[in-house]
Amino acid sequence: MLTTNPFDDDKLREECGIFGIWGADGAASFVALGLHALQHRGQEAAGITSFDGHGFHTHRAMGHVAGNFDREEVIRSLTGRTSIGHVRYSTTGETALRNVQPLFAELSEGGFAVAHNGNLSNAMKLRRTLNRRGSIFQSTSDTEVIIHLVATSGYITPLDRLTDALKQVEGAYSLLVLTPNGLVATRDPLGIRPLVMGKLGEATIFASETVALDVIGATYLRDVEPGELVLVNDSGIRSFRPFQKVQARPCIFEHVYFSRPDSVAEGKSVYEVRKNIGAELAREAPVEADYVVPVPDSGVPAAIGYSQASGIPFELGIIRSHYVGRTFIQPTDGVRHLGVKLKHNANSALIHGKRIVLIDDSIVRGTTSVKIVQMMRDAGAREVHMRIASPPTRHSCFYGVDTPERAKLLAAQMGIEAMEDYINADSLAFVSLDGLYRAMGDARDAAAPQRCDACFSGDYPTRLTDLIDKEAADEKALALVASR
C-alpha cells in the first residue's frame, strides 16, 4: 500500500477537528456536514455522538467522514437535538477503533462524551497516578485521562468536576463535552488550539474552524476565549472563566498550514495571511526567475503573494489530479515509482528551460523537497529556487501536532546551506520568524510571545512533564548501563 500523494509523507499532520451543536432537529446530520469541512484536520477516523434526552448514541469508524456518515441509516440512528463529532489524526495513542472519538463513559451522574483537539503534555504521568488508584483504561488516548479525572473528582456538579480535571492537565486542548446537563465547550488557558462559536437559528454551534460554520449556513459569533468554559443547555448559554488569566499563545502554524484558507482564525483571513507570508518572503529572499510555482495545494496562497510582491509571473508548474484515491496498491518497485505521478505531475511544456521559484509551506524531514526539486529538474527547469513560507522547523510539537522527533527534523540537523545542497536546489530560503509575525499584522515580542511558535523557536509555553520524565528515565538507564 502506497500513498499516491508523493508530498503527503513529509508534512506536519493536522491535529484533529471537532464540531458540536445544541438545539437542532437532526443534530447529527449537521455534525456530519461540519466534519466534512474539517476533514483536512484528520483523515484517520471519525466519530459522532448524539443525545436525545434519554440516552446517548455513538457511531465511530476508521477512515473518512464520507462513506461512514453519508449513509442514511447511520445518521438516523444518531437521534437527538444535540451532538458532537470528531475527525482524528492520532498524535497520541495507537491507530485503533478504541481510540476514535468522541470517547464515552457512564459516570455516576450520567453519560459523558468528549471530543478533544490537542495533546496533554503530562498525560502519561496522570495516567500512572490514576492506574495506581484503580482506574482501568479502555484506550491509549490521552483524552481518556480527562474522563478518569472527572470520574474521580471530589466535586459535586458536572461542571465543577470537569473544571477540577482540567486544572490538573498541562498542554493544549479544545474540548466539546456532552452530558445530560448540556454541551460544554472549552479551550486551555493559553488558547493553543482553536475553537469558534456560531449560531444557526436557535441552535448553538462550536467548531475548530469557521469554514465548518459556513458549510451548514451558520453565522460566526466569536471565538471561545482561552481558558473559557461555555455551557449550553435549555437554560441558555453561560460563560465561566475558572482559570487564572495568562497571556494567550494560539498556535501560529494554524495560519501557515493547518487551517483551510477559507477560514478566519483570530479574526484574520487565513488566505490573506498566507498571501502576506509570500509577500514577506519575496522581500526577504528575492531571486531572479521566470515563474513562481506553488507546491499544490498548500503553497498556492503564499506563491500568489510572492508573485504579486516580486512581479514574477505565477504559474502552475505542478499539476495535481483530484481523481486519485488516497492509496494505490503497487505490485513492483518500478510501478510504485511511477505511481507518484498519479497525483502530481510537472507541467513540462511550461517550465522547460525556465528558472523556477518553488513555494512550499514547510520543510520537515526534507524528503518532499528532494522529490519536488528533482521533478522540476527532470522536466527541464534551468534553475530551481526553493522558498519556504515558514521559518525552519527545528523543534517537535507536543501540543497536538504529529511532528517527527527532533533528530528527524532536517532543520535541526543542518544549516540552510547544507539543506540547500541536500535538496539539490540552486538556492533555499525561509521566511524569518519576525517576517511571519509581520505577515499576521503583528510585531514579534520575543520577551512576551503572542503565539505558540515553539516548532520554530523552541519556546514552549507549558511544562513538558512527560518529555522531562522520559529524558530523566533515559539518562538513568544509560547511567545504569555505563556503571556495569
Side-chain angles (χ1 to χ4, degrees), residues 159-229:
L159 197 65
D160 286 341
R161 290 162 74 97
L162 176 61
T163 301
D164 179 43
L166 295 180
K167 285 184 176 180
Q168 299 176 62
V169 305
E170 299 169 359
Y173 58 82
S174 284
L175 295 178
L176 294 177
V177 176
L178 185 57
T179 75
N181 298 293
L183 172 60
V184 178
T186 184
R187 291 172 77 189
D188 67 79
L190 292 166
I192 297 175
R193 301 266 68 89
L195 191 61
V196 300
M197 182 176 176
K199 202 77 174 171
L200 180 64
E202 296 302 312
T204 302
I205 300 156
F206 300 96
S208 292
E209 293 183 37
T210 61
V211 67
L213 304 178
D214 299 339
V215 164
I216 66 167
T219 302
Y220 166 79
L221 293 179
R222 64 179 179 87
D223 286 12
V224 175
E225 295 180 8
E228 181 184 20
L229 279 83

XYZ file of all heavy atoms in Angstrom, residues 159-229:
529
model
N -19.980 20.391 35.986
C -19.107 21.473 35.536
C -17.921 21.640 36.478
O -16.786 21.845 36.035
C -19.892 22.781 35.422
C -19.220 23.881 34.595
C -19.092 23.462 33.139
C -20.010 25.179 34.697
N -18.173 21.540 37.774
C -17.081 21.650 38.740
C -16.117 20.469 38.617
O -14.906 20.622 38.774
C -17.630 21.719 40.172
C -18.249 23.076 40.493
O -17.945 24.042 39.767
O -19.042 23.153 41.449
N -16.651 19.288 38.348
C -15.801 18.107 38.190
C -14.919 18.237 36.948
O -13.734 17.879 36.971
C -16.666 16.847 38.108
C -17.336 16.502 39.420
C -18.505 15.543 39.220
N -18.066 14.207 38.920
C -17.944 13.236 39.818
N -18.213 13.481 41.097
N -17.564 12.023 39.475
N -15.491 18.777 35.865
C -14.706 18.996 34.650
C -13.634 20.044 34.896
O -12.474 19.872 34.490
C -15.624 19.434 33.509
C -14.924 19.785 32.189
C -14.164 18.595 31.622
C -15.940 20.309 31.171
N -14.000 21.126 35.565
C -13.031 22.180 35.869
C -11.891 21.636 36.726
O -10.710 21.920 36.485
C -13.712 23.350 36.593
O -14.760 23.872 35.761
C -12.719 24.457 36.908
N -12.227 20.834 37.731
C -11.220 20.213 38.596
C -10.276 19.348 37.772
O -9.047 19.367 37.968
C -11.922 19.377 39.665
C -10.949 18.675 40.595
O -9.953 19.308 41.009
O -11.171 17.484 40.886
N -10.817 18.596 36.827
C -9.988 17.739 35.973
C -9.044 18.568 35.119
O -7.843 18.271 35.016
C -10.882 16.875 35.083
N -9.563 19.619 34.515
C -8.752 20.421 33.592
C -7.662 21.203 34.323
O -6.626 21.528 33.728
C -9.648 21.376 32.804
C -10.649 20.694 31.860
C -11.489 21.738 31.122
C -9.928 19.795 30.859
N -7.867 21.493 35.586
C -6.833 22.188 36.352
C -5.633 21.286 36.640
O -4.580 21.771 37.051
C -7.415 22.729 37.655
C -8.282 23.972 37.446
C -8.781 24.553 38.757
C -9.545 25.848 38.516
N -10.065 26.457 39.769
N -5.785 19.991 36.400
C -4.688 19.054 36.644
C -3.879 18.731 35.396
O -2.822 18.101 35.491
C -5.252 17.746 37.227
C -5.968 17.916 38.553
C -6.583 16.618 39.035
O -5.878 15.637 39.287
N -7.899 16.591 39.157
N -4.361 19.143 34.225
C -3.679 18.785 32.994
C -2.797 19.921 32.503
O -3.035 21.093 32.803
C -4.681 18.370 31.885
C -5.585 17.245 32.366
C -5.500 19.557 31.395
N -1.786 19.546 31.751
C -0.904 20.501 31.089
C -1.040 20.296 29.576
O -1.411 19.220 29.117
C 0.553 20.274 31.483
C 0.845 20.427 32.957
C 2.244 19.919 33.311
O 2.963 19.432 32.411
O 2.606 19.981 34.493
N -0.680 21.326 28.825
C -0.666 21.178 27.379
C -1.797 21.917 26.708
O -2.246 22.966 27.180
N -2.255 21.369 25.587
C -3.218 22.058 24.737
C -4.497 21.246 24.622
O -4.452 20.028 24.457
C -2.626 22.274 23.343
N -5.628 21.938 24.703
C -6.896 21.262 24.464
C -7.971 22.257 24.043
O -8.065 23.360 24.550
C -7.377 20.492 25.704
C -7.566 21.335 26.951
C -8.717 22.086 27.158
C -6.583 21.381 27.945
C -8.893 22.857 28.299
C -6.742 22.145 29.087
C -7.897 22.882 29.266
O -8.062 23.651 30.389
N -8.739 21.863 23.061
C -10.064 22.405 22.813
C -10.998 21.220 22.945
O -10.799 20.195 22.287
C -10.177 23.024 21.417
O -9.543 24.283 21.376
N -12.002 21.346 23.806
C -12.866 20.221 24.138
C -14.322 20.541 23.868
O -14.779 21.676 24.074
C -12.753 19.873 25.627
C -11.445 19.365 26.208
C -11.629 19.147 27.703
C -11.009 18.085 25.536
N -15.051 19.515 23.428
C -16.508 19.521 23.460
C -16.927 18.361 24.337
O -16.521 17.215 24.107
C -17.090 19.365 22.055
C -16.819 20.525 21.092
C -17.393 20.219 19.718
C -17.387 21.834 21.626
N -17.731 18.651 25.359
C -18.176 17.643 26.314
C -19.697 17.625 26.321
O -20.339 18.662 26.511
C -17.642 17.939 27.727
C -18.190 16.943 28.735
C -16.114 17.924 27.738
N -20.266 16.445 26.099
C -21.719 16.294 26.056
C -22.176 15.458 27.246
O -21.705 14.333 27.443
C -22.117 15.612 24.742
C -23.611 15.469 24.436
C -24.300 16.831 24.436
C -23.798 14.781 23.092
N -23.066 16.034 28.058
C -23.629 15.332 29.217
C -25.144 15.562 29.218
O -25.656 16.399 28.475
C -23.044 15.873 30.539
O -23.643 17.147 30.833
C -21.529 16.012 30.468
N -25.885 14.858 30.066
C -27.325 15.123 30.148
C -27.639 16.546 30.603
O -28.769 17.029 30.403
C -27.803 14.094 31.192
C -26.803 12.997 31.130
C -25.491 13.678 30.863
N -26.662 17.231 31.199
C -26.872 18.589 31.702
C -26.551 19.671 30.682
O -26.754 20.848 30.955
C -26.007 18.816 32.953
C -26.387 17.875 34.073
O -27.471 17.951 34.625
N -25.487 16.953 34.394
N -26.018 19.270 29.515
C -25.730 20.273 28.497
C -24.460 19.980 27.728
O -23.784 18.966 27.945
N -24.157 20.888 26.828
C -22.950 20.812 25.998
C -21.959 21.852 26.502
O -22.301 23.033 26.645
C -23.307 21.086 24.537
C -22.163 21.236 23.526
C -21.321 19.970 23.460
C -22.710 21.591 22.149
N -20.735 21.414 26.783
C -19.682 22.312 27.257
C -18.601 22.422 26.192
O -18.160 21.411 25.632
C -19.049 21.805 28.572
C -17.918 22.730 29.020
C -20.106 21.693 29.663
N -18.179 23.648 25.905
C -17.053 23.906 25.007
C -16.000 24.669 25.792
O -16.327 25.617 26.520
C -17.496 24.729 23.800
N -14.742 24.267 25.652
C -13.693 24.942 26.415
C -12.354 24.855 25.708
O -12.103 23.937 24.926
C -13.569 24.342 27.834
O -12.610 25.086 28.585
C -13.153 22.878 27.788
N -11.505 25.856 25.969
C -10.129 25.882 25.473
C -9.180 26.000 26.654
O -9.535 26.552 27.703
C -9.884 27.087 24.555
C -10.595 27.020 23.230
C -10.454 28.335 22.481
N -9.143 28.494 21.853
C -8.731 29.626 21.303
N -9.487 30.716 21.353
N -7.540 29.688 20.723
N -7.942 25.516 26.447
C -6.946 25.651 27.505
C -6.638 27.125 27.738
O -6.894 27.973 26.875
C -5.679 24.871 27.147
C -4.957 25.465 25.952
O -4.240 26.470 26.131
O -5.109 24.928 24.838
N -6.107 27.484 28.908
C -5.876 28.901 29.236
C -4.982 29.643 28.254
O -5.069 30.865 28.140
C -5.241 28.830 30.628
C -5.784 27.570 31.225
C -5.857 26.608 30.072
N -4.100 28.916 27.539
C -3.243 29.563 26.546
C -3.910 29.656 25.179
O -3.409 30.351 24.289
C -1.921 28.800 26.405
C -0.992 28.863 27.616
C 0.102 27.809 27.505
C -0.382 30.242 27.757
N -5.006 28.961 24.989
C -5.716 29.011 23.714
C -4.894 28.469 22.558
O -5.013 28.959 21.430
N -4.083 27.451 22.807
C -3.176 26.949 21.767
C -3.954 26.393 20.581
O -3.646 26.676 19.425
C -2.230 25.884 22.353
C -1.343 26.506 23.438
C -1.360 25.274 21.246
C -0.459 25.517 24.174
N -4.992 25.608 20.863
C -5.808 25.034 19.791
C -7.061 25.890 19.598
O -7.611 26.432 20.551
C -6.198 23.599 20.119
C -5.008 22.663 20.331
C -4.624 21.924 19.054
N -4.071 22.750 18.011
C -2.782 23.032 17.881
N -1.905 22.582 18.742
N -2.365 23.775 16.869
N -7.538 26.000 18.357
C -8.653 26.913 18.064
C -10.027 26.324 18.380
O -10.201 25.107 18.405
C -8.511 27.139 16.558
C -7.927 25.852 16.046
C -6.996 25.371 17.136
N -10.998 27.187 18.599
C -12.392 26.792 18.759
C -13.268 28.027 18.576
O -13.032 29.055 19.218
C -12.632 26.173 20.139
C -13.979 25.476 20.360
C -14.158 24.309 19.392
C -14.125 24.993 21.801
N -14.249 27.929 17.682
C -15.136 29.064 17.404
C -16.570 28.699 17.736
O -16.930 27.526 17.850
C -15.028 29.523 15.933
C -13.607 29.948 15.616
C -15.496 28.430 14.968
N -17.378 29.736 17.864
C -18.777 29.590 18.258
C -19.659 30.246 17.212
O -19.345 31.330 16.707
C -18.974 30.244 19.636
C -20.352 30.144 20.223
S -20.316 30.891 21.892
C -22.044 30.770 22.346
N -20.765 29.575 16.863
C -21.663 30.120 15.856
C -23.118 29.892 16.200
O -23.459 29.281 17.218
N -23.992 30.360 15.304
C -25.427 30.280 15.523
C -26.111 29.894 14.225
O -25.774 30.389 13.146
C -25.954 31.640 16.008
C -27.255 31.578 16.756
C -27.054 31.087 18.174
C -28.372 31.187 18.964
N -28.258 30.527 20.276
N -27.074 28.982 14.325
C -27.910 28.608 13.195
C -29.343 28.565 13.696
O -29.747 27.604 14.349
C -27.492 27.249 12.624
C -28.302 26.744 11.429
C -28.115 27.661 10.233
C -27.899 25.318 11.070
N -30.125 29.614 13.403
C -31.446 29.720 14.003
C -31.313 29.817 15.505
O -30.613 30.685 16.027
N -31.967 28.896 16.211
C -31.874 28.871 17.673
C -30.760 27.953 18.165
O -30.523 27.852 19.362
C -33.215 28.409 18.267
C -34.366 29.344 17.982
C -34.104 30.745 18.500
O -33.691 30.874 19.681
O -34.281 31.708 17.727
N -30.092 27.272 17.252
C -29.056 26.310 17.637
C -27.716 27.005 17.858
O -27.378 27.980 17.163
C -28.908 25.236 16.568
N -26.949 26.493 18.821
C -25.600 26.983 19.097
C -24.600 25.946 18.607
O -24.785 24.741 18.815
C -25.402 27.206 20.603
O -26.384 28.146 21.060
C -24.017 27.752 20.898
N -23.543 26.426 17.960
C -22.594 25.543 17.293
C -21.181 25.884 17.737
O -20.841 27.060 17.954
C -22.707 25.695 15.762
C -24.109 25.324 15.311
C -21.687 24.824 15.036
C -24.495 25.949 14.018
N -20.332 24.850 17.823
C -18.911 25.024 18.095
C -18.133 24.232 17.050
O -18.526 23.130 16.666
C -18.557 24.536 19.494
C -19.280 25.246 20.593
C -20.450 24.713 21.134
C -18.816 26.459 21.080
C -21.134 25.370 22.142
C -19.496 27.138 22.089
C -20.658 26.588 22.616
N -17.012 24.788 16.606
C -16.216 24.112 15.580
C -14.773 24.555 15.674
O -14.461 25.637 16.183
C -16.758 24.416 14.184
N -13.889 23.702 15.146
C -12.465 24.035 15.142
C -12.157 25.206 14.220
O -11.202 25.954 14.462
C -11.640 22.813 14.711
O -11.703 21.796 15.676
N -12.948 25.355 13.138
C -12.694 26.429 12.170
C -14.007 27.011 11.673
O -15.038 26.327 11.624
C -11.908 25.894 10.969
C -10.507 25.459 11.260
C -9.792 25.013 9.981
O -10.022 25.627 8.919
O -9.022 24.047 10.043
N -13.947 28.254 11.236
C -15.137 28.933 10.734
C -15.671 28.307 9.458
O -16.863 28.412 9.169
C -14.850 30.420 10.469
O -13.813 30.552 9.481
C -14.415 31.130 11.741
N -14.828 27.634 8.681
C -15.301 27.032 7.437
C -16.388 26.001 7.710
O -17.294 25.808 6.884
C -14.122 26.397 6.664
C -13.550 25.196 7.386
C -14.544 26.007 5.253
N -16.351 25.353 8.861
C -17.377 24.370 9.203
C -18.712 25.051 9.485
O -19.774 24.446 9.283
C -16.936 23.539 10.411
N -18.676 26.290 9.960
C -19.912 27.064 10.115
C -20.476 27.438 8.751
O -21.687 27.347 8.516
C -19.655 28.335 10.933
C -19.046 28.178 12.325
C -18.819 29.541 12.959
C -19.933 27.321 13.219
N -19.580 27.843 7.847
C -20.011 28.244 6.507
C -20.764 27.130 5.806
O -21.776 27.366 5.130
C -18.796 28.643 5.657
C -18.031 29.824 6.222
O -18.618 30.588 7.013
O -16.842 29.974 5.873
N -20.255 25.912 5.948
C -20.807 24.773 5.206
C -22.268 24.514 5.563
O -23.059 24.113 4.705
C -19.937 23.519 5.462
C -20.652 22.254 5.052
C -18.625 23.641 4.699
N -22.653 24.740 6.822
C -24.040 24.489 7.218
C -24.878 25.767 7.247
O -26.034 25.737 7.673
C -24.115 23.776 8.582
C -23.591 24.676 9.713
C -23.357 22.461 8.552
C -23.933 24.147 11.091
N -24.294 26.880 6.793
C -25.033 28.139 6.739
C -25.164 28.840 8.073
O -26.054 29.673 8.258
N -24.293 28.521 9.015
C -24.329 29.150 10.335
C -23.587 30.481 10.331
O -22.736 30.742 9.483
C -23.721 28.220 11.378
N -23.883 31.303 11.304
C -23.247 32.607 11.469
C -22.182 32.538 12.552
O -22.427 32.003 13.643
C -24.293 33.674 11.860
O -25.301 33.734 10.861
C -23.641 35.048 12.003
N -21.015 33.051 12.259
C -19.939 33.107 13.254
C -20.284 34.152 14.313
O -20.641 35.293 13.995
C -18.626 33.464 12.562
C -17.507 33.872 13.483
C -16.769 32.927 14.179
C -17.180 35.216 13.661
C -15.732 33.302 15.025
C -16.148 35.604 14.499
C -15.427 34.645 15.183
O -14.403 35.021 16.019
N -20.183 33.776 15.571
C -20.410 34.705 16.673
C -19.102 35.235 17.231
O -18.860 36.437 17.273
C -21.207 34.024 17.797
C -22.648 33.636 17.496
C -23.271 32.943 18.707
C -23.474 34.868 17.124
N -18.232 34.327 17.662
C -16.962 34.721 18.269
C -16.112 33.492 18.492
O -16.578 32.361 18.340
C -17.191 35.442 19.604
C -17.833 34.556 20.688
C -18.001 35.346 21.979
N -18.621 34.591 23.058
C -17.989 33.814 23.923
N -16.670 33.648 23.825
N -18.629 33.199 24.893
N -14.855 33.699 18.855
C -14.010 32.604 19.302
C -14.354 32.258 20.749
O -14.708 33.152 21.545
C -12.536 32.996 19.249
C -11.987 33.035 17.832
O -12.787 32.980 16.876
O -10.760 33.134 17.684
N -14.287 30.990 21.094
C -14.272 30.630 22.511
C -12.932 31.127 23.052
O -11.879 30.837 22.487
C -14.409 29.108 22.705
C -14.273 28.737 24.182
C -15.741 28.621 22.149
N -12.962 31.906 24.106
C -11.741 32.548 24.578
C -10.843 31.549 25.318
O -11.333 30.569 25.893
C -12.087 33.723 25.494
C -12.829 34.842 24.775
C -13.152 35.999 25.700
O -12.670 35.995 26.854
O -13.881 36.912 25.257
N -9.541 31.790 25.299
C -8.638 30.928 26.068
C -9.038 30.873 27.535
O -9.290 31.903 28.161
C -7.279 31.618 25.888
C -7.393 32.332 24.579
C -8.812 32.810 24.510
N -9.121 29.658 28.085
C -9.486 29.499 29.482
C -10.965 29.616 29.777
O -11.371 29.546 30.943
N -11.793 29.754 28.748
C -13.234 29.913 28.942
C -13.942 28.566 28.852
O -13.569 27.705 28.056
C -13.796 30.855 27.883
C -15.291 31.111 28.016
C -15.854 31.983 26.902
O -15.195 32.082 25.846
O -16.945 32.542 27.096
N -14.967 28.368 29.677
C -15.898 27.256 29.546
C -17.262 27.828 29.182
O -17.769 28.720 29.875
C -16.027 26.458 30.847
C -14.951 25.424 31.164
C -13.755 26.094 31.808
C -15.504 24.343 32.089
